[in-house]
Amino acid sequence: MELILTLKEDITVPVELDAILPEKIQDMSEEDIKNIEIPQGRARIKIGDIFDVELKDSEIPKMTVKNSSAKLKRIGEGMTTGEIVVEGDAGMHLGVEMKGGKIVVNGNADNWAGQGMKGGEIIIKGNAEDYLGSTYRGGYKGMSGGTLIVEGDAGHEIGEHMTNGVIHVKGSAKSLTGIHLSGGIIIIDGDVGDRIGGEMIKGAIVVKGKVGNVLPTFKFEGIVEDPVIKIRKKDEGVKVEGKFYKYSGDYCLTKPKGQLYISVDSNPDLRK
Amino acid sequence: MEYIIKNGIVFDPLNNIDGEKMDICVRDGVIVESVSNEAKEIDVSGCVVMPGGIDPHTHIAGPKVNTGRIMRPEDSYLDIYNKKGFKIGTGFSIPTTYKTGYEYSEMGYTTAFEAAMPPLKAKHVHEEFVDTPQVDKGALTLFGNNWIVMDYLKEGNYELCAAYVAWVLNASKGFAIKIVNPGGTEAWGWGKNVHGLDDPNPYFNITGREIVRGLTIVNEMLGLPHSVHVHPNDLGHPGNWKTTIETMDCAKDIEPKPKYGKRETIYHNAHLQFHSYGGTSWRDFESRGVEIAEHINKSNHITIDVGQITLDETTTMTADGPMEYDLHMSTGNKWANCDVELETGSGVVPFHYSPKGPVYSVQWAIGLDIFLNTDTDKVLLTTDHPNGGPFIRYSRIIAWLMSKKYRDYWLNEKVHKWAKARSSVGDCDKEYTMYEVAKISRANPAKALGLSLERGHLGVGAIADIAVYDIDPEEKDANTIEKAFRYAKYTFKNGKMVVKDGSVVKEVFGDTIHVNVKINEELEKELMKDLKERFKRDYTIQMDNYPVPNELARSWRSINIDATDIS
């Protein structure tokens, strides 16, 4: 069953959509769905108040949000299976704590996309903002599985406290990429800002573009070509192509095992 | 308002009632012989009736609890209390004040003691007590690293020390003397710690032995209801069990002389689980719970509470500053540290006791070793909330104790194999009876705290704090036990029904219990000479601004102690 929600008109007060997931609506009628209560600001409204609802047959549990707005928050929170397609922008907390399934956003996503994600896949065709694949405020267990792909740019502190999984940003990222990283791989095709990998203890960050700087608490290990990145010895490894400066760190912590790969071609002056 | 609670199966160890079917009558907040015909009748056939629970050692109010709340928004996110008509509360291991009160009440608890109150920050503790509903509460005042106490004890001036302790108890509206890592927290101010009972700290050059012994003498001179409440040195270090036994025995010869209550012991060891570690490092770490238990069984001057590990993600907080630093270094997790001028210090570190962790599993087993091998007249049920786990897990601990099957299930299926190999839990067949559960959660705490005259029992004249659990006394199914003790069928606080079928139905605000010690005027004059000088020279606060003002409680329940015989 596929559910198609079309936003009737642009909204200004944010709406939280965590009550509605593809797996939850399989046995529901259009009427049932229209009557699901959701919060808008401090009021409670019904799905039918702001959306046109349409049901279609589909092989997999699916949900499409058309005419979407950045005011639609918590899309796909806790999702375990199925697919969500967002036509337009997605608001904060996209796919928070999701365990499986797939979310595709044909637009931008706001802060905290994929926060505490445990599995599944999120593809953001536009840009993502800050705290992509991070942990809850104050927490120390971030994204622990799954794949997050951003075709545009990402913001600050992406992959904060990440413990497993992959984040691939095809554009560039801002400061503190992979802060407190303790597992998993972050690949940035574009440039990154300052303080990359601050307090990372494990995991790997690959930068193909230009870096702002490398913290003095990282140790230079040499230049590597086409490395296969493994977090644990048993891992199959992820192969990345190109020539990289390899650093280990962050040595502000005891016995860190973090790996930092920075493209030689894009940063010819880094080691001078 | 009158109630008659009919046909319950009553467990009241202080009155030697072991599972008798009887009626309990309540009038005006007190248990009475009989009530009039107008009394509201509540039939509790087949249910267990006990006195309201008493938590003798918990951290529910004050600066370090609040620091924990502030530094852990992610804990707030884990659990939400949201019921119509009541204050919303959040937090799993460090719940907000209202949630704390509601949840204690849901469990049938009616009294709780905050176990570490720095005198300088006493106002904060009492401010939070004002907002903690459903339970009577009190706070134990910290003395073990106080400069003035250490100076007097070093001089051997017990009279002035007693006068000072009395003055601080009055000023901070405290209930008893708490000692945390004697000498060690002060050493932390110098970036050090003390190791063992006979290691003198910097500058004051005083040992843990002198402090514990000195304050025990002072405690009995004053005749306080509770004994000294001690968190010995070397908490959480492998091999610390020897220090623990030495500390237990360092004041063995002193006679209990309470001027209120019926206490027979002079020493209370807090969260013993953290002090019963064998081995020399975390590699050969093992349980010494049985040895410690045997030692307690042959000593008559000790009570203990366990501080059971519940294998949850929790927040550790203690006035033992150096120990929290060690913990922070071992996990790399966030850490808060605080020094309270002249008095004490503290630390807060979030901690996840994972069942898969070998060390944590052994810690879990050590707590059970102590529970299962110690004389049940001397054990008090605690998790050292939130250090070993949140207090809402008391029901699970009771299930572990009452059902060997459940214990073995955890031992074999859930925890790391070290637990079985390095403790005696697997070999022990003991199962707690309902009577023994009533002892460790009601009778023993009441007696150890010196409050057994009016609470912890259901005799005529006692405060009508009553818990009714929907459970068969012979029940062995762990899930039923856990559920029954987590959500009481009824809880009565001061004769008012506050919980029905596991939900809070009425919000009441209990009293704040404190001692009010009167000392000899001559002695007080002499103390004031020293104290005024101290405040002028060392404190950043004026002496007049130091005491807790009277308005910082909904209602005070004062225990007056006349200690004018000290001169």
Side-chain angles (χ1 to χ4, degrees), chain B residues 181-224:
Chain B
N181 190 2
T185 304
E186 174 52 30
W188 180 233
W190 307 73
K192 296 183 176 122
N193 195 357
V194 297
H195 300 285
L197 195 57
D198 294 307
D199 186 7
N201 65 359
Y203 184 75
F204 291 95
N205 205 20
I206 190 167
T207 62
R209 185 185 298 276
E210 290 168 280
I211 295 171
V212 174
R213 198 176 156 79
L215 282 173
T216 311
I217 293 170
V218 165
N219 195 72
E220 302 313 325
M221 276 164 79
L222 292 169
L224 299 179

Tab-separated table of all heavy atoms in Angstrom, chain B residues 181-224:
chain	number	residue	atom	x	y	z
B	181	ASN	N	34.522	8.940	51.909
B	181	ASN	CA	35.954	8.810	51.667
B	181	ASN	C	36.735	9.659	52.670
B	181	ASN	O	37.372	10.640	52.292
B	181	ASN	CB	36.279	9.224	50.221
B	181	ASN	CG	37.705	8.874	49.838
B	181	ASN	OD1	38.457	8.288	50.622
B	181	ASN	ND2	38.098	9.223	48.632
B	182	PRO	N	36.704	9.305	53.981
B	182	PRO	CA	37.271	10.165	55.013
B	182	PRO	C	38.709	10.574	54.693
B	182	PRO	O	39.574	9.727	54.513
B	182	PRO	CB	37.191	9.307	56.280
B	182	PRO	CG	36.934	7.915	55.814
B	182	PRO	CD	36.196	8.044	54.528
B	183	GLY	N	38.935	11.862	54.622
B	183	GLY	CA	40.262	12.389	54.304
B	183	GLY	C	40.536	12.473	52.817
B	183	GLY	O	41.277	13.338	52.366
B	184	GLY	N	39.915	11.604	52.038
B	184	GLY	CA	40.247	11.492	50.616
B	184	GLY	C	39.729	12.623	49.756
B	184	GLY	O	40.418	13.102	48.857
B	185	THR	N	38.502	13.048	50.019
B	185	THR	CA	37.940	14.127	49.206
B	185	THR	C	38.717	15.414	49.428
B	185	THR	O	38.933	16.202	48.518
B	185	THR	CB	36.448	14.310	49.523
B	185	THR	OG1	35.786	13.063	49.326
B	185	THR	CG2	35.810	15.342	48.617
B	186	GLU	N	39.185	15.635	50.682
B	186	GLU	CA	40.025	16.800	50.949
B	186	GLU	C	41.347	16.660	50.187
B	186	GLU	O	41.834	17.617	49.577
B	186	GLU	CB	40.260	16.954	52.452
B	186	GLU	CG	41.234	18.034	52.853
B	186	GLU	CD	40.923	19.398	52.233
B	186	GLU	OE1	39.743	19.689	51.973
B	186	GLU	OE2	41.881	20.151	51.982
B	187	ALA	N	41.902	15.443	50.194
B	187	ALA	CA	43.157	15.209	49.458
B	187	ALA	C	42.979	15.519	47.976
B	187	ALA	O	43.905	15.969	47.306
B	187	ALA	CB	43.622	13.765	49.641
B	188	TRP	N	41.778	15.288	47.470
B	188	TRP	CA	41.485	15.569	46.059
B	188	TRP	C	41.661	17.057	45.749
B	188	TRP	O	42.009	17.441	44.636
B	188	TRP	CB	40.073	15.084	45.724
B	188	TRP	CG	39.641	15.312	44.304
B	188	TRP	CD1	38.500	15.938	43.892
B	188	TRP	CD2	40.318	14.923	43.111
B	188	TRP	NE1	38.438	15.956	42.529
B	188	TRP	CE2	39.547	15.347	42.025
B	188	TRP	CE3	41.524	14.258	42.873
B	188	TRP	CZ2	39.918	15.124	40.704
B	188	TRP	CZ3	41.913	14.042	41.556
B	188	TRP	CH2	41.110	14.473	40.493
B	189	GLY	N	41.435	17.895	46.766
B	189	GLY	CA	41.687	19.323	46.601
B	189	GLY	C	43.154	19.594	46.287
B	189	GLY	O	43.505	20.652	45.784
B	190	TRP	N	44.018	18.652	46.622
B	190	TRP	CA	45.443	18.744	46.338
B	190	TRP	C	45.805	17.851	45.143
B	190	TRP	O	46.982	17.550	44.927
B	190	TRP	CB	46.257	18.297	47.551
B	190	TRP	CG	45.885	19.009	48.818
B	190	TRP	CD1	44.753	18.837	49.559
B	190	TRP	CD2	46.637	20.023	49.483
B	190	TRP	NE1	44.754	19.661	50.638
B	190	TRP	CE2	45.908	20.408	50.627
B	190	TRP	CE3	47.865	20.643	49.226
B	190	TRP	CZ2	46.363	21.393	51.498
B	190	TRP	CZ3	48.312	21.614	50.122
B	190	TRP	CH2	47.554	21.983	51.228
B	191	GLY	N	44.799	17.379	44.414
B	191	GLY	CA	45.045	16.499	43.269
B	191	GLY	C	45.427	15.099	43.669
B	191	GLY	O	45.993	14.348	42.883
B	192	LYS	N	45.139	14.716	44.916
B	192	LYS	CA	45.538	13.381	45.385
B	192	LYS	C	44.331	12.635	45.942
B	192	LYS	O	43.224	13.149	45.982
B	192	LYS	CB	46.587	13.531	46.496
B	192	LYS	CG	47.875	14.179	46.017
B	192	LYS	CD	48.879	14.234	47.143
B	192	LYS	CE	50.204	14.789	46.635
B	192	LYS	NZ	50.620	15.988	47.349
B	193	ASN	N	44.585	11.419	46.397
B	193	ASN	CA	43.565	10.651	47.099
B	193	ASN	C	44.272	9.983	48.259
B	193	ASN	O	45.496	10.001	48.328
B	193	ASN	CB	42.949	9.619	46.150
B	193	ASN	CG	41.647	9.031	46.682
B	193	ASN	OD1	41.213	9.352	47.795
B	193	ASN	ND2	41.018	8.172	45.897
B	194	VAL	N	43.540	9.389	49.183
B	194	VAL	CA	44.192	8.565	50.202
B	194	VAL	C	43.900	7.108	49.880
B	194	VAL	O	42.872	6.788	49.286
B	194	VAL	CB	43.718	8.906	51.630
B	194	VAL	CG1	44.085	10.332	51.979
B	194	VAL	CG2	42.242	8.691	51.803
B	195	HIS	N	44.805	6.220	50.232
B	195	HIS	CA	44.618	4.805	49.950
B	195	HIS	C	44.680	4.027	51.250
B	195	HIS	O	45.708	4.007	51.907
B	195	HIS	CB	45.670	4.327	48.959
B	195	HIS	CG	45.583	5.073	47.654
B	195	HIS	ND1	44.594	4.825	46.730
B	195	HIS	CD2	46.301	6.104	47.173
B	195	HIS	CE1	44.721	5.658	45.714
B	195	HIS	NE2	45.753	6.446	45.950
B	196	GLY	N	43.571	3.449	51.618
B	196	GLY	CA	43.520	2.700	52.865
B	196	GLY	C	43.165	3.608	54.022
B	196	GLY	O	43.096	4.834	53.910
B	197	LEU	N	42.951	2.963	55.154
B	197	LEU	CA	42.416	3.641	56.330
B	197	LEU	C	43.480	4.442	57.071
B	197	LEU	O	43.165	5.348	57.822
B	197	LEU	CB	41.800	2.573	57.246
B	197	LEU	CG	40.888	3.014	58.357
B	197	LEU	CD1	39.726	3.831	57.817
B	197	LEU	CD2	40.378	1.805	59.107
B	198	ASP	N	44.752	4.098	56.879
B	198	ASP	CA	45.806	4.721	57.680
B	198	ASP	C	46.718	5.622	56.867
B	198	ASP	O	47.854	5.860	57.228
B	198	ASP	CB	46.615	3.630	58.390
B	198	ASP	CG	45.764	2.900	59.410
B	198	ASP	OD1	45.160	3.580	60.254
B	198	ASP	OD2	45.658	1.662	59.328
B	199	ASP	N	46.194	6.118	55.750
B	199	ASP	CA	46.975	6.997	54.885
B	199	ASP	C	46.603	8.441	55.222
B	199	ASP	O	45.488	8.866	54.961
B	199	ASP	CB	46.619	6.659	53.418
B	199	ASP	CG	47.478	7.416	52.438
B	199	ASP	OD1	48.432	8.084	52.882
B	199	ASP	OD2	47.185	7.341	51.228
B	200	PRO	N	47.504	9.207	55.848
B	200	PRO	CA	47.133	10.577	56.212
B	200	PRO	C	46.984	11.466	54.986
B	200	PRO	O	47.693	11.282	53.997
B	200	PRO	CB	48.300	11.051	57.089
B	200	PRO	CG	49.418	10.137	56.799
B	200	PRO	CD	48.867	8.870	56.240
B	201	ASN	N	46.072	12.420	55.052
B	201	ASN	CA	45.881	13.304	53.901
B	201	ASN	C	46.823	14.508	53.996
B	201	ASN	O	47.405	14.760	55.050
B	201	ASN	CB	44.413	13.679	53.737
B	201	ASN	CG	43.881	14.511	54.879
B	201	ASN	OD1	44.599	14.800	55.828
B	201	ASN	ND2	42.618	14.884	54.801
B	202	PRO	N	47.015	15.256	52.911
B	202	PRO	CA	47.951	16.376	52.955
B	202	PRO	C	47.465	17.463	53.919
B	202	PRO	O	46.257	17.592	54.141
B	202	PRO	CB	47.949	16.904	51.514
B	202	PRO	CG	47.173	15.954	50.710
B	202	PRO	CD	46.368	15.113	51.615
B	203	TYR	N	48.379	18.233	54.445
B	203	TYR	CA	48.154	19.369	55.318
B	203	TYR	C	47.521	18.999	56.661
B	203	TYR	O	48.116	19.201	57.706
B	203	TYR	CB	47.320	20.455	54.630
B	203	TYR	CG	47.157	21.679	55.504
B	203	TYR	CD1	48.223	22.568	55.679
B	203	TYR	CD2	45.982	21.920	56.204
B	203	TYR	CE1	48.114	23.662	56.518
B	203	TYR	CE2	45.862	23.018	57.045
B	203	TYR	CZ	46.918	23.881	57.199
B	203	TYR	OH	46.797	24.954	58.031
B	204	PHE	N	46.317	18.418	56.639
B	204	PHE	CA	45.658	18.088	57.912
B	204	PHE	C	46.331	16.893	58.575
B	204	PHE	O	46.252	16.728	59.780
B	204	PHE	CB	44.170	17.817	57.689
B	204	PHE	CG	43.426	19.044	57.306
B	204	PHE	CD1	43.199	19.347	55.977
B	204	PHE	CD2	42.988	19.921	58.275
B	204	PHE	CE1	42.540	20.497	55.622
B	204	PHE	CE2	42.316	21.079	57.919
B	204	PHE	CZ	42.094	21.372	56.591
B	205	ASN	N	46.950	16.058	57.746
B	205	ASN	CA	47.718	14.939	58.259
B	205	ASN	C	46.877	14.022	59.144
B	205	ASN	O	47.329	13.531	60.163
B	205	ASN	CB	48.915	15.503	59.047
B	205	ASN	CG	50.044	14.494	59.079
B	205	ASN	OD1	50.094	13.583	58.252
B	205	ASN	ND2	50.924	14.642	60.032
B	206	ILE	N	45.635	13.840	58.753
B	206	ILE	CA	44.733	13.009	59.556
B	206	ILE	C	44.331	11.796	58.717
B	206	ILE	O	44.215	11.891	57.489
B	206	ILE	CB	43.507	13.838	60.017
B	206	ILE	CG1	42.682	13.068	61.048
B	206	ILE	CG2	42.638	14.263	58.844
B	206	ILE	CD1	41.675	13.951	61.759
B	207	THR	N	44.139	10.647	59.364
B	207	THR	CA	43.817	9.433	58.623
B	207	THR	C	42.310	9.167	58.658
B	207	THR	O	41.591	9.709	59.493
B	207	THR	CB	44.519	8.217	59.234
B	207	THR	OG1	44.040	8.058	60.564
B	207	THR	CG2	46.024	8.394	59.242
B	208	GLY	N	41.876	8.312	57.750
B	208	GLY	CA	40.473	7.904	57.722
B	208	GLY	C	40.066	7.294	59.059
B	208	GLY	O	38.962	7.517	59.547
B	209	ARG	N	40.977	6.523	59.641
B	209	ARG	CA	40.670	5.870	60.919
B	209	ARG	C	40.320	6.908	61.992
B	209	ARG	O	39.321	6.782	62.704
B	209	ARG	CB	41.876	5.043	61.377
B	209	ARG	CG	41.620	4.226	62.634
B	209	ARG	CD	42.893	3.529	63.090
B	209	ARG	NE	43.403	2.573	62.107
B	209	ARG	CZ	42.979	1.311	61.985
B	209	ARG	NH1	42.042	0.851	62.779
B	209	ARG	NH2	43.487	0.525	61.074
B	210	GLU	N	41.148	7.962	62.078
B	210	GLU	CA	40.901	8.989	63.099
B	210	GLU	C	39.567	9.694	62.867
B	210	GLU	O	38.857	10.016	63.822
B	210	GLU	CB	42.045	10.018	63.097
B	210	GLU	CG	43.356	9.477	63.627
B	210	GLU	CD	44.508	10.426	63.332
B	210	GLU	OE1	45.008	10.425	62.189
B	210	GLU	OE2	44.905	11.168	64.242
B	211	ILE	N	39.255	9.914	61.598
B	211	ILE	CA	38.002	10.626	61.288
B	211	ILE	C	36.791	9.758	61.614
B	211	ILE	O	35.857	10.193	62.297
B	211	ILE	CB	37.966	11.063	59.801
B	211	ILE	CG1	39.054	12.093	59.531
B	211	ILE	CG2	36.599	11.638	59.439
B	211	ILE	CD1	39.255	12.436	58.074
B	212	VAL	N	36.803	8.504	61.151
B	212	VAL	CA	35.642	7.627	61.387
B	212	VAL	C	35.461	7.399	62.884
B	212	VAL	O	34.360	7.528	63.425
B	212	VAL	CB	35.814	6.277	60.649
B	212	VAL	CG1	34.693	5.327	61.014
B	212	VAL	CG2	35.833	6.490	59.149
B	213	ARG	N	36.565	7.094	63.565
B	213	ARG	CA	36.472	6.829	64.995
B	213	ARG	C	36.024	8.084	65.745
B	213	ARG	O	35.129	8.041	66.593
B	213	ARG	CB	37.834	6.346	65.515
B	213	ARG	CG	37.708	5.658	66.828
B	213	ARG	CD	38.987	5.075	67.364
B	213	ARG	NE	38.829	4.984	68.807
B	213	ARG	CZ	38.149	4.035	69.412
B	213	ARG	NH1	37.619	3.050	68.704
B	213	ARG	NH2	37.984	4.023	70.720
B	214	GLY	N	36.639	9.200	65.396
B	214	GLY	CA	36.306	10.460	66.056
B	214	GLY	C	34.837	10.811	65.885
B	214	GLY	O	34.138	11.134	66.852
B	215	LEU	N	34.345	10.709	64.661
B	215	LEU	CA	32.946	11.097	64.419
B	215	LEU	C	31.975	10.086	65.030
B	215	LEU	O	30.857	10.452	65.400
B	215	LEU	CB	32.687	11.288	62.928
B	215	LEU	CG	33.199	12.623	62.368
B	215	LEU	CD1	33.072	12.667	60.855
B	215	LEU	CD2	32.461	13.810	62.978
B	216	THR	N	32.401	8.837	65.157
B	216	THR	CA	31.536	7.860	65.836
B	216	THR	C	31.416	8.227	67.320
B	216	THR	O	30.318	8.192	67.890
B	216	THR	CB	32.096	6.433	65.688
B	216	THR	OG1	32.404	6.200	64.324
B	216	THR	CG2	31.114	5.394	66.157
B	217	ILE	N	32.548	8.597	67.930
B	217	ILE	CA	32.512	9.035	69.328
B	217	ILE	C	31.579	10.240	69.464
B	217	ILE	O	30.704	10.285	70.329
B	217	ILE	CB	33.938	9.385	69.816
B	217	ILE	CG1	34.796	8.117	69.877
B	217	ILE	CG2	33.894	10.073	71.180
B	217	ILE	CD1	36.268	8.352	70.117
B	218	VAL	N	31.743	11.207	68.555
B	218	VAL	CA	30.911	12.416	68.584
B	218	VAL	C	29.433	12.060	68.426
B	218	VAL	O	28.572	12.562	69.138
B	218	VAL	CB	31.368	13.378	67.470
B	218	VAL	CG1	30.333	14.466	67.217
B	218	VAL	CG2	32.708	13.996	67.825
B	219	ASN	N	29.150	11.140	67.479
B	219	ASN	CA	27.770	10.740	67.222
B	219	ASN	C	27.112	10.187	68.486
B	219	ASN	O	25.973	10.512	68.805
B	219	ASN	CB	27.757	9.694	66.105
B	219	ASN	CG	26.381	9.479	65.516
B	219	ASN	OD1	25.871	10.319	64.805
B	219	ASN	ND2	25.768	8.355	65.841
B	220	GLU	N	27.860	9.347	69.209
B	220	GLU	CA	27.269	8.747	70.408
B	220	GLU	C	27.258	9.721	71.587
B	220	GLU	O	26.415	9.621	72.468
B	220	GLU	CB	27.990	7.437	70.769
B	220	GLU	CG	27.979	6.381	69.664
B	220	GLU	CD	26.607	6.147	69.019
B	220	GLU	OE1	25.589	6.223	69.720
B	220	GLU	OE2	26.557	5.912	67.788
B	221	MET	N	28.186	10.687	71.591
B	221	MET	CA	28.118	11.740	72.617
B	221	MET	C	26.839	12.553	72.453
B	221	MET	O	26.146	12.872	73.408
B	221	MET	CB	29.329	12.686	72.490
B	221	MET	CG	30.585	12.204	73.174
B	221	MET	SD	32.023	13.119	72.573
B	221	MET	CE	31.873	14.635	73.493
B	222	LEU	N	26.548	12.866	71.191
B	222	LEU	CA	25.347	13.660	70.919
B	222	LEU	C	24.083	12.828	71.076
B	222	LEU	O	23.021	13.352	71.383
B	222	LEU	CB	25.400	14.239	69.503
B	222	LEU	CG	26.455	15.304	69.218
B	222	LEU	CD1	26.540	15.574	67.721
B	222	LEU	CD2	26.142	16.598	69.957
B	223	GLY	N	24.197	11.517	70.831
B	223	GLY	CA	23.029	10.640	70.929
B	223	GLY	C	22.057	10.811	69.783
B	223	GLY	O	20.844	10.818	69.961
B	224	LEU	N	22.586	10.958	68.571
B	224	LEU	CA	21.712	11.133	67.403
B	224	LEU	C	20.936	9.858	67.106
B	224	LEU	O	21.393	8.764	67.444
B	224	LEU	CB	22.552	11.525	66.185
B	224	LEU	CG	23.336	12.827	66.287
B	224	LEU	CD1	24.123	13.060	65.017
B	224	LEU	CD2	22.417	14.001	66.555
